[in-house]
Amino acid sequence: MRITSTSCICPVLVCLCFMQRCYGTAHHGSIKVTRNQTKHIEGETEVHHRPKRGWVWNQFFVLEEHMGPDPQYVGKLHSNSDKGDGSVKYILTGEGAGTIFIIDDTTGDIHSTKSLDREKKTHYVLHAQAIDRRTNKPLEPESEFIIKVQDINDNAPKFTDGPYIVTVPEMSDMGTSVLQVTATDADDPTYGNSARVVYSILQGQPYFSVDPKTGVIRTALHNMDREAREHYSVVIQAKDMAGQVGGLSGSTTVNITLTDVNDNPPRFPQKHYQLYVPESAQVGSAVGKIKANDADTGSNADMKYTIINGDGSGVFSISTDKDTREGIISLKKPLNYEKKKSYTLNIEGANTHLDFRFSHLGPFKDVTMLKIIVGDVDEPPIFTLPSYVMDVYENAKIGTIVGTVTAQDPDSANNAIRYFIDHHMEEDRYFTIDTNTGTVKTAKVFDREETPWYNITVTASEIDSPGLLSHVPVGIKILDVNDNPPELAGDYDVVVCENAKPGQVIQTISATDRDDFANGQRFHFSLDDSLSFNPNFTLKDNGDNTASILTRRRRFSRTTQDVYYLPVVISDGGIPSLSSSTTLVIRVCACERDGRVRTCNAEAFLSSAGLSTGALIAILLCVVILLVIVVLFITLRRSKKEPLIISEEDVRENVVTYDDEGGGEEDTEAFDITALRNPSAAEELKYRRDVRPEVKPTPKHPTSSRLDSIDVQEFIKQRLAEADLDPSVPPYDSLQTYAYEGQRSEAGSISSLDSATTHSDQDYNYLGDWGPEFKKLAELYGEIESERTT
């Protein structure tokens, strides 16, 4: 199939075709184009014949932005099988086929029906095929080709980042790079000069220039001064077609600002200044300002002011205000017109940030002279002292002189002074002052213990100028007089242990005195001499403003006396000496061995065990329940037990149980225990009451009269013999019990029954050393000993 294109305006594009050799007549199905053939002219014969060559084209070209009324011709498809009889049908498929590109299926001509934009799509890929119109069978394989959109110069260069804002230091060298601008062109850079851009400057000369190829903007002058001109607006143009006539162009604006450098030294506008300062100016206050001008800005204009010489350098000082860059002149010492009426200062202003590149423009400092004139002012009186301290004794009478204040007129007139007290506070009403002499007197009677110090303010004014006032603080100290007796330092809770020993310290007391240190810090302690001798306690003065309370005897008993009273007399060392009497309450308490108080009342015995009321109630309930159970158990057993003696004919032995425990060792009146003490008091022979004896009892054994002289063993043997010889003994065993303690030994009885009515001289203090298990026993014997001593 032959493909012919007539739309190529560039002959070079013909080289993009690709050639295929054909031999002889083209075979069926081959794609070829015959080129450079000489056709027959009517009436002439063929004079030259070249061999046929098959040209296979794989791309077409179509111009973009075609605006003609007719479709744009792209090219022609032709198959070798096409004999011109319309039997061959051409089919076009691919990108844009049928919409953008159409084909004449008989002739194979291809047209573009729409205007194309290369910047949107650069080429289209299509497929061509020739088929038999009658059979619809392909005459040759499908062939792929490309239609490229040929570019035209329809896009102007654009600066995508503009407009630009840039800075460059002033005084820069010529040719200093400022900024590089770049313009882009959407046209095809590979075809012609449509996208070839050159740069030029439209505005900003002669200060700046631009490189036509790179777009770099540079300074075009030496030493551009910011103080002369700071802002520049430069217009840069970019033109395609290499800047030729007919090329499209675009422009942008570059705003260039010159930044400051320190190339200008400071300068005072004047070489001489004059300043008026009244003598009444306060020390530390600002009295004037001075400023040196600097054309630079920012840190390049920062400067420092100093006083380099002059007779007023010791009276005045200068500092720099960083915001306004002014020199602030302040007063260091008070001025006195009568002593000195003017001062001279030489002030220097210098830059603090120097740029040595411009040192040849210096020096970067300047000096001026300032003359300060002191103004005369009618001044208020001046006190001889900045403050006064006075004192007066408490209890002093009204009108007592406290002290005197003095003020003078500093002016040459030396006017008379009047004094008065500002009664703005309550304290100011407690004193008066003589208006002419300045003497301060009391207006009330003072109590140092109530207020030890007063502060008042005395005002002085000139009689001729009452509006000029001066004030001075006056502190008045109230001196102490010994008018307060000493007292105990606190409410002491004095406790003595029951097991205390003679000479034991049970409490140390101290005293306080509201009077001053000189009168009230030496105390003496003693017992009241008006009372009788105290046999229980004594008082010892320790000599260090404290006293110790000591016991005089051994052991105290709460049951006998639980509280004692001890009158104490305390006197101070003041002149005259004052004293007071206080009665201390001493409680008797039970203590541990180490002296810790365990309890101080009789009701604390239960609490000493560490049991709460709820626990005690629970224990009592358990005991009651156990007793009820035991009583029920015994009652049930007795109800089931058979009687011991059924009838008089029943001769069996009976055991009778008696459960009388008595009242303990202290119960000596419940029954007669004489039989236990002495076997001689017992009956000689006891017959059984449940069996009638058949014989009379035998006479008393002759040895019974000597029972007092026999021991227990002999006594038991005698009773055993009587039981064996008793004819009334039943034929079964009988258990008889004998209890005898025996005769008194030389060592004495170990039972408390026989010694209940006697008193022992033994000391039971060792019971307190046996531990907590014997505390109760030690307390009982301690109380007995205490009662016995009392």
Side-chain angles (χ1 to χ4, degrees), residues 117-309:
D117 188 357
R118 189 202 66 84
E119 285 70 37
K120 293 183 178 179
K121 190 171 180 64
T122 60
H123 65 278
Y124 297 85
V125 179
L126 294 99
H127 299 84
Q129 192 172 26
I131 64 174
D132 191 321
R133 191 180 293 276
R134 294 186 297 272
T135 62
N136 286 331
K137 292 183 178 180
L139 298 177
E140 57 186 65
E142 186 179 69
S143 178
E144 181 181 279
F145 65 95
I146 297 174
I147 298 178
K148 286 191 174 181
V149 181
Q150 188 174 353
D151 184 47
I152 64 172
N153 189 18
D154 59 344
N155 290 281
K158 294 182 180 180
F159 293 92
T160 57
D161 297 331
Y164 301 88
I165 298 176
V166 67
T167 60
V168 63
E170 65 172 334
M171 310 300 289
S172 297
D173 296 334
M174 186 177 65
T176 301
S177 176
V178 179
L179 176 68
Q180 182 179 14
V181 296
T182 303
T184 59
D185 195 317
D187 291 327
D188 188 0
T190 63
Y191 178 74
N193 295 325
S194 298
R196 185 180 176 185
V197 179
V198 294
Y199 300 94
S200 62
I201 185 168
L202 300 181
Q203 177 182 321
Q205 294 176 334
Y207 307 105
F208 299 94
S209 63
V210 64
D211 190 298
K213 294 182 179 181
T214 62
V216 175
I217 303 173
R218 302 179 185 274
T219 58
L221 293 179
H222 287 287
N223 300 329
M224 298 177 65
D225 191 1
R226 184 199 66 84
E227 288 72 31
R229 182 176 177 181
E230 184 175 4
H231 301 286
Y232 296 85
S233 180
V234 179
V235 179
I236 303 296
Q237 175 184 265
K239 189 175 183 180
D240 59 10
M241 298 299 291
Q244 298 176 4
V245 178
L248 302 179
S249 64
S251 62
T252 187
T253 301
V254 181
N255 295 312
I256 302 175
T257 301
L258 298 182
T259 57
D260 184 60
V261 297
N262 191 8
D263 58 340
N264 293 279
R267 292 290 180 263
F268 286 103
Q270 301 175 207
K271 290 300 181 180
H272 297 86
Y273 290 90
Q274 185 170 308
L275 179 64
Y276 174 83
V277 179
E279 64 174 338
S280 59
Q282 298 295 321
V283 174
S285 62
V287 295
K289 298 179 181 179
I290 193 169
K291 184 177 182 180
N293 297 328
D294 193 325
D296 296 322
T297 61
S299 61
N300 296 317
D302 290 344
M303 65 182 64
K304 181 180 180 181
Y305 297 92
T306 55
I307 299 175
I308 55 177
N309 53 44

Side-chain angles (χ1 to χ4, degrees), residues 263-487:
D263 58 340
N264 293 279
R267 292 290 180 263
F268 286 103
Q270 301 175 207
K271 290 300 181 180
H272 297 86
Y273 290 90
Q274 185 170 308
L275 179 64
Y276 174 83
V277 179
E279 64 174 338
S280 59
Q282 298 295 321
V283 174
S285 62
V287 295
K289 298 179 181 179
I290 193 169
K291 184 177 182 180
N293 297 328
D294 193 325
D296 296 322
T297 61
S299 61
N300 296 317
D302 290 344
M303 65 182 64
K304 181 180 180 181
Y305 297 92
T306 55
I307 299 175
I308 55 177
N309 53 44
D311 58 355
S313 59
V315 180
F316 299 91
S317 63
I318 190 169
S319 60
T320 304
D321 188 328
K322 294 183 179 180
D323 296 330
T324 62
R325 296 185 176 92
E326 294 177 328
I328 309 300
I329 302 171
S330 302
L331 185 63
K332 291 173 59 177
K333 296 180 180 179
L335 301 176
N336 192 331
Y337 174 81
E338 287 72 24
K339 293 183 179 180
K340 191 173 180 61
K341 296 178 175 59
S342 65
Y343 297 88
T344 301
L345 301 176
N346 290 325
I347 299 176
E348 177 187 82
N351 283 143
T352 57
H353 300 87
L354 300 180
D355 192 336
F356 295 102
R357 295 178 301 171
F358 310 104
S359 59
H360 61 281
L361 301 176
F364 286 81
K365 59 183 178 180
D366 196 16
V367 178
T368 188
M369 186 179 69
L370 174 64
K371 183 178 182 180
I372 299 177
I373 299 175
V374 180
D376 186 19
V377 176
D378 190 6
E379 301 174 84
I382 298 177
F383 285 95
T384 56
L385 295 177
S387 62
Y388 292 85
V389 177
M390 306 175 182
D391 55 58
V392 64
Y393 281 99
E394 64 175 332
N395 302 328
K397 296 181 180 181
I398 297 176
T400 301
I401 296 177
V402 180
T404 302
V405 297
T406 304
Q408 296 177 351
D409 182 10
D411 298 323
S412 57
N414 196 15
N415 295 322
I417 306 301
R418 185 174 66 90
Y419 304 92
F420 58 92
I421 297 176
D422 294 333
H423 295 291
H424 298 301
M425 300 180 61
E426 185 66 24
E427 295 182 354
D428 298 331
R429 304 180 183 275
Y430 298 159
F431 301 91
T432 61
I433 189 171
D434 191 297
T435 58
N436 297 321
T437 63
T439 301
V440 180
K441 299 180 180 180
T442 61
K444 63 167 287 188
V445 177
F446 298 99
D447 185 0
R448 190 203 66 85
E449 288 71 34
E450 180 180 348
T451 305
W453 191 276
Y454 292 90
N455 294 306
I456 63 174
T457 301
V458 176
T459 302
S461 66
E462 297 180 11
I463 295 179
D464 296 338
S465 301
L468 298 177
L469 305 177
S470 295
H471 308 277
V472 67
V474 178
I476 301 175
K477 181 180 180 181
I478 307 301
L479 301 179
D480 183 54
V481 174
N482 191 23
D483 57 348
N484 292 280
E487 301 174 349

